[in-house]
Amino acid sequence: MPLPKMPTKPASKVDITTETKALPTRRKPKLTADSTPKKGETASPLIEKVNTPTAEPSVSSTKQAHSTKQVTTRHQKTGKQEKPKLFVLDTNVLLHDPSSLFRFEEHDIFLPMIVLEELDHHKKGMTEVAHHARQVSRSLDDLCAESGTIFDGITLNTLGHKEATGKLWFQTSKLEDALSISLPTSKADNLILTVVQTLQNQRPNQLVILVSKDINMRLKAKALGLNAEDYLNDHTYEDSDLVYDGSVLLPDNFWTRHGKEMESWVQSGTTFYKIKGPLVSHFRLNEFVYFEGDNPLYAQVKEVNGKTATLATIRDYTHPKNNVWGVTARNREQNFALNLLMNPDIDFVTLLGQAGTGKTLLTLAAGLTQVLETKRFTDIIITRATVPVGEDIGFLPGTEEEKMQPWMGALEDNLEFLHTHAKQESALQWERSLSKEIIQSHIKVKSMSFMRGRTFLNKFVIIDEAQNLTPKQMKTLITRAGSGTKIICLGNIAQIDTPYLTEGSSGITYVVDRFKGWAHSGHITLQKGERSRLADYASDAL
């Protein structure tokens, strides 16, 4: 049987004349036809994931949350038998994740008395830290109420956390062994270090480990010869280079290996290919696959069923006839992004990319088209984390929307461009020649502070600067979606301004990992900047 004819796009060929520049913290994955995993290797070469917690501590499906694999591996390499572990928790761990008490599986936990003092100090107020402090205090009170005495240790699974089979120990006596370096005893961190030193001397049969989110605290502990680890519960990835990109470059011999039993058909102007081969097991729903050359292919994975996958060619938004509010895609990833933004079957979209890649512009153009032209949504709602880059300038006067206006400079800039550009390109279409006031009347700027309890129906919701949100905040915002609502998260993990978040623990990294492969979600990482040659050079050189 002869090989099938190489597929081509139904629309005009995408013209990519410049080489894609990768983000500094990301590598573009490439699948090969011979990437079938060997015995003992993981099935997917794309991502190596560290288990992450759910936003609520009561979810029973939570796997091991604190990664103790680093400690375990280090001691196994020495050939010594692994000792049972005793984790001493710093206050910042409890304030960061109030459910951390139940995240250590079979290992024991020790709380110094100074930690309880600091919890009491932080419990006042309406901030998230104060809320976490009160939640930890309630959990400790419930554990003590279920236990007869605290002197023999409190079993951590008495409240229903079946994965926590260790015990909780409180400091019930003085633990004041001298440190090898004299440190001021008036500081809480130094008192905790003293407790760790004493426990290490008193419990030689246990491996005593300090767990702290404070880098300087861990450095001091290691300088004193004490074991110290970061709390890795909230880390989605250990290596930010392995963040899911949403697209895969296919090998040159793809059709040779996967086209022998291929079936193809055309439906509503879209060409579908049903293929079999070694790469099928690595595909995810709504992932983009492509290769370029004389017969390029740009397609999206629509179905994966065992060893069979169905690919569908995408719409070519680089062609002027497929423009979105006068905007056309300038590169491959922008074309992928517009296919997600304009697809009515996709309810949740995440776009990552460095500054100037067009995240906000493409999203606004898609939103205006679907609100004012196709009437798919009634309004555009925009919110973002109000985290300043430099020093805070203080309180802002006015209503909720007036207070949010200084944070929405990017919105104003892109609206100005879209309004001017659309009038020039499509002067005959009255929808695009609408006054700026009418366009803005369909755009609502909302603060995250008042999102709790709301439900958005038939809205186009944009969450900007999502890299500054925690996983819990992301859950709060995404669960606001009602019937007919589409949510788009925009972010750049290289520009995190929140002091307590990293690339691995950011809320947008969390949702990218949790939503990949869902039939109604899609993700793409925009690679090439299109703002200006100055902005592109600054992103690379600085």
Side-chain angles (χ1 to χ4, degrees), residues 100-232:
S100 58
L101 290 168
F102 312 102
R103 305 298 193 187
F104 292 83
E105 291 194 329
E106 74 275 11
H107 306 295
D108 291 349
I109 296 175
F110 188 94
L111 292 184
M113 192 58 64
I114 189 63
V115 170
L116 299 179
E117 288 281 345
E118 288 192 307
L119 284 175
D120 185 66
H121 176 72
H122 286 93
K123 71 179 183 181
K124 300 178 180 66
M126 298 299 294
T127 63
E128 186 176 9
V129 171
H131 171 73
H132 287 177
R134 292 191 293 269
Q135 185 173 338
V136 172
S137 298
R138 286 191 290 267
S139 297
L140 293 175
D141 183 54
D142 293 339
L143 285 171
C144 291
E146 294 292 331
S147 177
T149 175
I150 65 174
F151 296 98
D152 297 327
I154 301 174
T155 304
L156 288 167
N157 60 6
T158 55
L159 298 180
H161 300 275
K162 297 180 181 180
E163 69 279 1
T165 57
K167 287 188 175 183
L168 171 65
W169 300 86
F170 289 98
Q171 180 183 350
T172 57
S173 61
K174 285 187 177 181
L175 300 174
E176 299 180 350
D177 284 11
L179 299 172
S180 57
I181 301 175
S182 178
L183 295 173
T185 58
S186 58
K187 191 172 182 181
D189 287 357
N190 297 335
L191 293 177
I192 295 175
L193 291 173
T194 302
V195 170
V196 176
Q197 175 72 70
T198 308
L199 290 173
Q200 186 170 280
N201 295 336
Q202 292 182 356
R203 304 193 180 194
N205 295 326
Q206 283 185 297
L207 180 62
V208 181
I209 302 172
L210 171 65
V211 181
S212 176
K213 297 294 294 180
D214 187 346
I215 297 176
N216 290 329
M217 178 72 158
R218 299 198 303 269
L219 291 176
K220 288 199 295 184
K222 292 177 180 179
L224 294 169
L226 306 175
N227 297 305
E229 296 290 342
D230 189 8
Y231 179 68
L232 302 178

Side-chain angles (χ1 to χ4, degrees), residues 283-541:
F283 290 158
R284 294 185 175 91
L285 287 179
N286 295 327
E287 185 176 38
F288 293 94
V289 295
Y290 68 94
F291 63 77
E292 297 168 337
D294 295 335
N295 294 290
L297 170 71
Y298 302 94
Q300 192 175 18
V301 180
K302 290 297 184 181
E303 183 181 358
V304 178
N305 187 9
K307 298 181 180 180
T308 304
T310 301
L311 308 180
T313 55
I314 62 175
R315 191 171 187 180
D316 181 17
Y317 285 101
T318 64
H319 198 283
K321 72 176 182 180
N322 294 328
N323 71 85
V324 179
W325 203 261
V327 174
T328 56
R330 293 188 178 183
N331 56 54
R332 179 181 58 240
E333 283 76 22
Q334 287 191 357
N335 191 24
F336 294 161
L338 285 174
N339 273 274
L340 294 175
L341 293 169
M342 298 298 293
N343 190 339
D345 293 329
I346 302 294
D347 299 331
F348 183 70
V349 178
T350 50
L351 300 180
L352 285 178
Q354 63 185 8
T357 51
K359 302 183 297 295
T360 307
L361 180 65
L362 296 176
T363 305
L364 272 178
L368 290 174
T369 300
Q370 294 174 90
V371 169
L372 297 175
E373 288 188 5
T374 63
K375 311 294 184 182
R376 182 176 298 161
F377 306 104
T378 57
D379 290 304
I380 299 175
I381 295 179
I382 302 179
T383 187
R384 58 163 288 174
T386 53
V387 181
V389 176
E391 293 293 331
D392 198 338
I393 63 174
F395 292 99
L396 299 172
T399 63
E400 177 187 354
E401 292 204 3
E402 290 173 343
K403 290 178 185 291
M404 290 297 296
Q405 284 304 316
W407 301 100
M408 293 298 170
L411 168 65
E412 296 293 334
D413 296 340
N414 285 283
L415 277 179
E416 184 71 28
F417 172 82
L418 288 173
H419 182 64
T420 305
H421 183 69
K423 289 179 67 176
Q424 293 174 349
E425 297 293 330
S426 305
L428 298 179
Q429 297 188 29
W430 71 271
E431 296 94 340
R432 295 180 184 174
S433 62
L434 295 172
S435 68
K436 192 175 180 181
E437 289 74 18
I438 295 178
I439 293 176
Q440 288 182 330
S441 67
H442 287 276
I443 300 177
K444 313 295 182 183
V445 179
K446 299 297 181 183
S447 171
M448 285 177 46
S449 304
F450 311 107
M451 288 294 184
R452 182 74 72 182
R454 297 200 61 180
T455 300
F456 298 124
L457 300 175
N458 300 313
K459 308 295 185 185
F460 190 86
V461 181
I462 303 173
I463 303 175
D464 199 11
E465 303 294 342
Q467 76 274 4
N468 290 320
L469 301 179
T470 66
K472 184 176 180 181
Q473 289 171 328
M474 289 295 295
K475 178 182 179 181
T476 301
L477 293 176
I478 296 172
T479 52
R480 301 306 98 207
S483 176
T485 290
K486 185 167 189 167
I487 293 183
I488 297 89
C489 293
L490 313 177
N492 177 14
I493 59 175
Q495 293 184 347
I496 296 178
D497 301 315
T498 305
Y500 303 112
L501 289 178
T502 64
E503 291 88 346
S505 60
S506 171
I508 194 165
T509 312
Y510 179 78
V511 295
V512 167
D513 175 62
R514 291 305 177 95
F515 276 88
K516 66 176 183 286
W518 185 47
H520 301 287
S521 71
H523 166 75
I524 195 67
T525 298
L526 301 174
Q527 303 286 350
K528 187 178 184 298
E530 298 289 352
R531 180 171 289 168
S532 68
R533 61 188 178 187
L534 172 60
D536 293 344
Y537 181 78
S539 297
D540 294 335

